[in-house]
Amino acid sequence: MIHRPSFILSREDWSLHRKGEQDQQRHQEKVREAIKKNLADLVTEESLIMHDGRQIVKVPIRSLDEYRFRYNYGKGQHGGQGDGESQVGDVLGKDPSSKQQAGPGKGEGAGEQPGVDYYEAEVSLAEIENLLFADLELPNLQRKQHDEVTTTDVRFNDIRKKGLAGNIDKKRTLVEAIRRNSLAGNPGLHNITNDDLRYKTWEEVQTPHSQAVVLAMMDTSGSMGQFEKYIARSFFFWMTRFLKTKYEHVDIQFIAHHTEAKVVTEHEFFTKGESGGTICSSAYNLALNLIHTKYNPDRYNIYPFHFSDGDNLTSDNDKCIKLIKQLMDVSNIFGYGEVNQYNRSSSLMNAYKNIQDEKFKHAIIREKGEVYKALCHFFTAKDKIRAS
Amino acid sequence: MTNEEMQQLESAIEEITILARDFGLDFYDMRYEVCPSEIIYTFGAYGMPTRFSHWSFGKSFHKMKMQYDFGLSKIYELVINSDPCYAFLLDGNSLLQNKLIVAHVLGHCDFFKHNNRFGNTSRYMVDSMAASAERIRKYEQDHGKLAVEEFIDSVLAIQEHIDPTYVGRKMRSRQYDEPSEPTAALDPFADVFEWTEKKKAEEPKPAPRFPAQPEKDLLLFIMQHAKGMPEWQRDILTIMREEMLYFWPQMETKIMNEGWATYWHLRIMRELDLDESETIEFAKMNAGVIMPSKTSLNPYHVGLKIWEDIEKRWGRERMWEIREYDSDISFLRNYLTKELVEEMDLYLYGKQGDEWKVMEKDWEKVRDQLCASRVNSGFPVLMVHDGDYLKNGELYLKHQFDGTELDVKYLEKTLPHVYNLWGRTTHLETMLDNRAVVFTFDGKKNHRRFV
């Protein structure tokens, strides 16, 4: 019997085969979801806060592992192949993750295994911020009488049959073509006529923008330890980024205080350490001063925020309460954040807990993860305060 | 690829096909398709061009494509066990590369057609996967993309827990078709042991077990017994199990199959009239394919060496037989000799402190461990012990402990997936530090207790 080669060689048009790309997109979407779920941790990620101008950060995304029942790779023996000279005891590699894993509560992570899928997503800082800030806003923002500033924005919000070629809405155009073909009794996509073309058009939207000022006050006294300062700065770091990203006309005044308060630059605020005792009223006085001289409440939405460890000179507390009341009279809200790792009863909180005013908002932060919660708590519009 | 290049390739394929047949290779009709890298990577990630959509395939697609874009790795071809047999060639391969690949692919196709493990695989999987993908797309429309995706997430987490063996199938059919006790006619020793049977009959019968015998096919068990599982979910489970049964023989014969294809592409290429530059290109490419790795076994290399050794010792006739009857475990067990282990410098490595070290070079231990690592295609064996645990419909699984512990983190993340499918509290018994331990997921939390 004579065998004849029986084969076909072909080359098709694969340009419509997009499954891989589509599923990849879905994967990326899930990465973003995972980032969103981990925002609380990301907010205090040191590499983000101390980031050195790099706009890309690496975020370990563990939730995208595909879990299955598998062996503990580190406890087994595996086959390998040498170059002919291998000896028992030869070192093939070091486990880079084991040093980092020394901390308590960290078991055998996936990273320690060669050839294991350890997914690190690269995301831009901007992308994180988009997610992070999506739901945040300045609460109780009000239109102020004067100097009302408007900004112009472009919004695609209409579909027309005439327009610029660059603005063709492909999806709607295709839908039109399919619709026309169906009506003609010949369903499917065969051709696209001029009549099918649809264009996006835009309108210019004027968004009123009220002016606002945030008075960021931070305790820099000796009692504020590494952790306390780190937390307060994390909070203010994201607050600043959030305000700068979302609002065009927000002033931020940085006030550092111990027994005395002074206005400092953003850079000083985030880098300089101080010491000494604590008199919080000094900061509140300075804030009121600034309001009187620079930020007329008729024209500005005012947001004083104070972060402290709760340690204050006891005799100063009554004065603080009085000043907070004065501040609240001219502000939209007053935010007090207390970094209190061990949940001890603090001098300030004891004094402030009796303040009955819905403008007074406070948050107690015990651990890193709660910084994001505090941000959400402070920067949520009144009508959508979260259940948390 | 220009038309002229396509023609050159076509006549090369013709020549190679004739050569392969002359060598005695016997394969299905071939369909060669030249396609761009993204398509090859889609197929690589999905296992099949027509398979259903899922983000995890997108993830591996992305990874493969990225490695290709950075020049880290390259898939030259992809071949599918089907009749006719599909082979996808990367557009951009040189003619010489394609020649080698065609020769290699014919080796694979011969293997698919003749190795016993593939005897039960569907040769029409390209079409049936397309049809399944279509059904799943319909379910997405009916029940929401997210619901379908989450369900698939859970099935994928346990997809390897099937029972592809003949014995397994036999056991199941006996259990479902003949639930009664074995009759005397089936038991050749019935008369010999009549007195024990009598004695047994007098004792109170233990409550019937469910399942009667521990079952390995977790997917099938869930499919048949999960309460309240909607039809569409059961259908997806069936689809995914069938697909895994189809892929399974490939996992079981990786070393043999790659070695076989490599053996044949070498033989066929030597028959071709290559010019000097082609000879050098061929040598380079071949060296790349069989390059050893310090931390894994290169199936192309190990497989090739074993096949060549078999040829040397017994001649080619024996090779045809072995390609028919063996799988990786028996292949390694029977034909990985002391000389081969030493020649290839195979060893076992493991972790000591935070270092990965060569731990064993004794050839028998190396061979035994390599065989052991191929058991159940390298996946832990779990058995369904009880589908009505605590008389509460809970699922009790038992890991057949063989000396290697499970990855606890992964275990605790996978158990909720089993719960999703079963719908009730799920237990898994295994060993940690020489003690039996039961992990339980109750729908909210993981617990663990030593027993």
Side-chain angles (χ1 to χ4, degrees):
Chain A
M1 187 174 136
I2 300 164
H3 286 298
R4 302 197 57 104
S6 48
F7 68 89
I8 294 171
L9 172 65
S10 61
R11 189 172 33 159
E12 279 170 39
D13 178 11
W14 292 96
S15 55
L16 288 174
H17 195 106
R18 303 230 328 121
K19 187 156 60 176
E21 306 279 341
Q22 282 158 4
D23 283 345
Q24 181 189 333
Q25 258 171 34
R26 174 66 188 132
H27 174 237
Q28 238 117 33
E29 225 174 279
K30 287 183 76 77
V31 170
R32 273 192 289 276
E33 277 171 33
I35 293 172
K36 208 167 172 179
K37 266 189 218 152
N38 292 323
L39 280 182
D41 298 329
L42 290 182
V43 162
T44 40
E45 189 73 37
E46 230 140 318
S47 61
L48 291 184
I49 294 161
M50 308 304 171
H51 87 109
D52 45 357
R54 285 180 318 143
Q55 290 299 303
I56 296 281
V57 284
K58 284 194 171 181
V59 183
I61 300 299
R62 293 186 183 85
S63 60
L64 286 189
D65 280 337
E66 292 155 64
Y67 294 106
R68 55 188 72 259
F69 295 114
R70 64 174 199 189
Y71 290 116
N72 186 332
Y73 198 88
K75 289 197 177 179
Q77 293 198 345
H78 316 279
Q81 193 172 358
D83 49 12
E85 312 266 291
S86 75
Q87 300 282 333
V88 170
D90 284 359
V91 176
L92 303 176
K94 256 198 149 132
D95 185 354
S97 62
S98 44
K99 274 199 196 99
Q100 298 157 19
Q101 303 245 336
K106 290 190 177 174
E108 284 145 29
E112 70 187 23
Q113 302 173 3
V116 155
D117 235 4
Y118 185 65
Y119 198 86
E120 237 183 19
E122 283 203 344
V123 271
S124 67
L125 192 57
E127 198 167 353
I128 292 185
E129 286 178 343
N130 278 342
L131 293 164
L132 198 57
F133 303 152
D135 298 330
L136 301 186
E137 53 191 287
L138 282 173
N140 301 347
L141 196 65
Q142 286 152 11
R143 285 194 184 196
K144 297 289 175 175
Q145 302 154 3
H146 308 287
D147 286 344
E148 198 166 88
V149 186
T150 56
T151 53
T152 309
D153 204 359
V154 170
R155 189 166 67 196
F156 283 98
N157 66 340
D158 199 8
I159 303 294
R160 295 187 190 161
K161 292 180 77 168
K162 297 230 178 319
L164 297 173
N167 290 331
I168 286 182
D169 186 322
K170 292 180 195 123
K171 194 172 156 195
R172 282 178 210 263
T173 301
L174 291 176
V175 168
E176 280 307 320
I178 292 167
R179 189 200 318 255
R180 182 179 44 75
N181 286 328
S182 299
L183 286 174
N186 185 15
L189 182 62
H190 319 295
N191 56 341
I192 293 170
T193 68
N194 270 340
D195 203 40
D196 296 329
L197 294 178
R198 291 295 179 273
Y199 301 86
K200 291 183 276 195
T201 63
W202 68 91
E203 72 175 7
E204 287 180 354
V205 258
Q206 305 279 322
T207 38
H209 243 286
S210 299
Q211 301 215 83
V213 59
V214 171
L215 305 163
M217 297 174 269
M218 182 166 71
D219 183 352
T220 54
S221 66
S223 65
M224 290 284 283
Q226 282 283 82
F227 177 78
E228 284 77 11
K229 277 185 191 143
Y230 177 71
I231 292 291
R233 280 178 179 149
S234 298
F235 176 87
F236 281 123
F237 172 84
W238 288 108
M239 185 198 81
T240 319
R241 303 232 22 140
F242 148 63
L243 294 172
K244 284 179 180 167
T245 332
K246 268 208 148 171
Y247 297 92
E248 254 175 283
H249 299 278
V250 175
D251 268 3
I252 306 172
Q253 292 286 343
F254 296 98
I255 298 171
H257 80 89
H258 34 91
T259 51
E260 288 162 21
K262 61 180 171 205
V263 175
V264 296
T265 65
E266 180 173 352
H267 181 74
E268 284 170 333
F269 188 81
F270 282 108
T271 50
K272 256 174 101 174
E274 298 268 355
S275 59
T278 317
I279 298 176
C280 294
S281 63
S282 65
Y284 302 158
N285 264 323
L286 184 56
L288 279 167
N289 251 334
L290 279 173
I291 293 168
H292 290 147
T293 52
K294 271 181 94 174
Y295 300 103
N296 182 348
D298 288 342
R299 285 163 43 195
Y300 281 92
N301 287 283
I302 298 170
Y303 297 93
F305 278 94
H306 180 217
F307 263 69
S308 144
D309 62 349
D311 250 351
N312 193 30
L313 196 69
T314 319
S315 60
D316 186 50
N317 285 350
D318 284 346
K319 202 169 162 194
C320 285
I321 291 175
K322 242 177 256 158
L323 289 170
I324 286 178
K325 282 199 175 123
Q326 286 179 36
L327 275 168
M328 285 192 297
D329 284 342
V330 292
S331 305
N332 299 50
I333 60 160
F334 177 92
Y336 171 66
E338 184 166 300
V339 191
N340 192 338
Q341 219 176 341
Y342 305 108
N343 214 13
R344 62 205 150 70
S345 138
S346 85
S347 160
L348 271 185
M349 207 54 235
N350 272 331
Y352 291 175
K353 70 182 173 202
N354 298 320
I355 299 178
Q356 299 288 335
D357 191 317
E358 59 175 24
K359 279 188 183 172
F360 182 82
K361 281 188 166 190
H362 73 273
I364 295 173
I365 300 176
R366 293 175 208 88
E367 54 183 42
K368 284 181 172 186
E370 288 176 332
V371 173
Y372 182 57
K373 249 167 91 182
L375 270 171
C376 294
H377 174 66
F378 286 128
F379 297 109
T380 304
K382 205 179 161 196
D383 51 349
K384 42 177 167 178
I385 285 180
R386 286 147 201 258
S388 69
Chain B
M1 208 181 275
T2 63
N3 283 338
E4 197 196 326
E5 286 170 324
M6 283 292 272
Q7 266 166 18
Q8 281 179 338
L9 177 56
E10 187 149 11
S11 48
I13 295 176
E14 189 162 345
E15 189 187 356
I16 291 166
T17 309
I18 293 170
L19 278 172
R21 288 215 205 276
D22 287 348
F23 271 120
L25 291 180
D26 172 34
F27 34 84
Y28 302 116
D29 287 353
M30 300 295 299
R31 300 280 180 272
Y32 298 96
E33 172 76 30
V34 176
C35 50
S37 60
E38 297 92 72
I39 300 305
I40 288 256
Y41 290 100
T42 313
F43 300 166
Y46 289 70
M48 182 72 94
T50 50
R51 210 171 175 199
F52 62 88
S53 283
H54 189 258
W55 63 266
S56 62
F57 302 143
K59 174 179 152 182
S60 42
F61 166 76
H62 179 57
K63 202 169 142 189
M64 289 173 128
K65 196 169 155 294
M66 210 159 62
Q67 287 183 334
Y68 172 75
D69 291 344
F70 288 126
L72 294 173
S73 81
K74 193 171 173 185
I75 305 180
Y76 295 100
E77 58 59 42
L78 225 123
V79 57
I80 286 171
N81 165 31
S82 62
D83 181 10
C85 180
Y86 287 84
F88 297 90
L89 308 176
L90 180 61
D91 197 357
N93 285 347
S94 68
L95 182 62
L96 184 274
Q97 285 173 334
N98 275 332
K99 286 178 183 171
L100 185 146
I101 287 158
V102 169
H104 188 86
V105 158
L106 291 176
H108 278 315
C109 188
D110 170 83
F111 194 86
F112 289 148
K113 190 170 173 184
H114 293 279
N115 183 272
N116 275 345
R117 301 271 154 168
F118 291 87
N120 285 308
T121 54
S122 161
R123 308 290 183 187
Y124 310 102
M125 213 50 184
V126 181
D127 295 331
S128 64
M129 279 194 187
S132 307
E134 195 48 54
R135 284 214 305 285
I136 292 179
R137 214 169 3 252
K138 177 80 171 38
Y139 294 141
E140 284 180 350
Q141 282 165 16
D142 296 350
H143 307 283
K145 259 183 132 76
L146 201 65
V148 172
E149 180 182 277
E150 281 173 357
F151 185 75
I152 293 176
D153 282 350
S154 291
V155 182
L156 281 174
I158 57 161
Q159 62 175 344
E160 297 90 10
H161 299 279
I162 55 167
D163 188 352
T165 60
Y166 177 72
V167 176
R169 281 197 300 278
K170 199 72 181 163
M171 254 175 59
R172 280 192 301 277
S173 65
R174 191 167 67 214
Q175 191 181 330
Y176 295 110
D177 303 342
E178 315 160 26
S180 54
E181 305 265 309
T183 58
L186 279 178
D187 186 352
F189 304 110
D191 51 344
V192 183
F193 294 108
E194 206 169 356
W195 60 275
T196 44
E197 290 301 317
K198 263 186 196 157
K199 210 176 157 203
K200 261 191 198 160
E202 285 158 17
E203 288 167 5
K205 274 193 177 170
R209 294 187 61 86
F210 172 59
Q213 312 263 336
E215 280 192 32
K216 180 172 180 289
D217 203 323
L218 181 53
L219 252 48
L220 186 72
F221 189 82
I222 289 174
M223 201 168 91
Q224 290 176 328
H225 303 293
K227 292 213 169 60
M229 181 179 277
E231 254 334 287
W232 67 270
Q233 293 191 350
R234 242 180 261 277
D235 187 36
I236 291 180
L237 203 47
T238 315
I239 289 169
M240 292 175 71
R241 180 169 166 274
E242 287 297 327
E243 295 187 354
M244 188 40 73
L245 283 167
Y246 167 81
F247 287 123
W248 194 265
Q250 302 183 31
M251 303 195 276
E252 280 185 302
T253 56
K254 183 87 183 156
I255 295 172
M256 276 185 89
N257 196 351
E258 291 300 356
W260 183 254
T262 307
Y263 174 91
W264 285 110
H265 83 230
L266 283 170
R267 299 300 172 286
I268 292 169
M269 293 302 282
R270 281 177 199 159
E271 296 291 315
L272 291 179
D273 207 8
L274 302 180
D275 64 31
E276 196 181 335
S277 73
E278 279 185 317
T279 309
I280 292 171
E281 195 187 347
F282 164 62
K284 266 190 182 165
M285 190 177 169
N286 192 59
V289 168
I290 61 172
M291 193 166 64
S293 154
K294 281 184 171 185
T295 51
S296 63
L297 289 196
N298 178 345
Y300 297 84
H301 185 231
V302 176
L304 171 71
K305 285 289 180 191
I306 298 178
W307 281 118
E308 286 183 337
D309 190 55
I310 290 168
E311 184 186 24
K312 204 170 73 197
R313 289 158 71 195
W314 293 292
R316 199 168 279 166
E317 274 315 302
R318 187 70 177 272
M319 293 171 69
W320 303 117
E321 283 172 32
I322 292 169
R323 71 102 146 78
E324 219 161 304
Y325 298 117
D326 278 291
S327 67
D328 280 353
I329 297 178
S330 55
F331 189 63
L332 292 170
R333 165 75 58 210
N334 296 336
Y335 308 107
L336 182 60
T337 61
K338 181 168 188 277
E339 289 72 26
L340 280 170
V341 170
E342 282 168 5
E343 189 197 326
M344 288 191 274
D345 194 14
L346 301 184
Y347 53 70
L348 298 177
Y349 71 95
K351 203 171 159 192
Q352 268 183 349
D354 62 351
E355 283 178 334
W356 295 93
K357 277 187 184 167
V358 174
M359 294 174 108
E360 189 63 71
K361 291 202 59 171
D362 178 83
W363 82 275
E364 280 179 305
K365 287 189 177 139
V366 171
R367 180 198 61 190
D368 292 351
Q369 177 55 33
L370 293 182
C371 288
S373 72
R374 301 303 308 142
V375 169
N376 199 36
S377 293
F379 300 103
V381 177
L382 307 186
M383 302 296 276
V384 180
H385 266 245
D386 200 341
D388 189 21
Y389 185 60
L390 303 177
K391 298 272 167 285
N392 195 24
E394 297 179 12
L395 187 64
Y396 196 93
L397 308 175
K398 205 165 169 180
H399 167 217
Q400 281 197 343
F401 185 70
D402 55 5
T404 314
E405 288 182 8
L406 297 182
D407 181 327
V408 170
K409 183 190 154 197
Y410 267 59
L411 193 167
E412 291 192 326
K413 295 277 190 183
T414 310
L415 219 44
H417 284 300
V418 188
Y419 177 94
N420 279 354
L421 300 173
W422 185 247
R424 299 209 181 202
T425 298
T426 303
H427 311 264
L428 173 64
E429 183 182 327
T430 182
M431 300 283 285
L432 284 184
D433 299 325
N434 296 318
R435 290 174 73 192
V437 57
V438 182
F439 289 84
T440 299
F441 184 78
D442 63 7
K444 292 190 191 83
K445 270 202 301 210
N446 274 302
H447 310 271
R448 96 172 70 161
R449 71 189 159 86
F450 287 94
V451 288

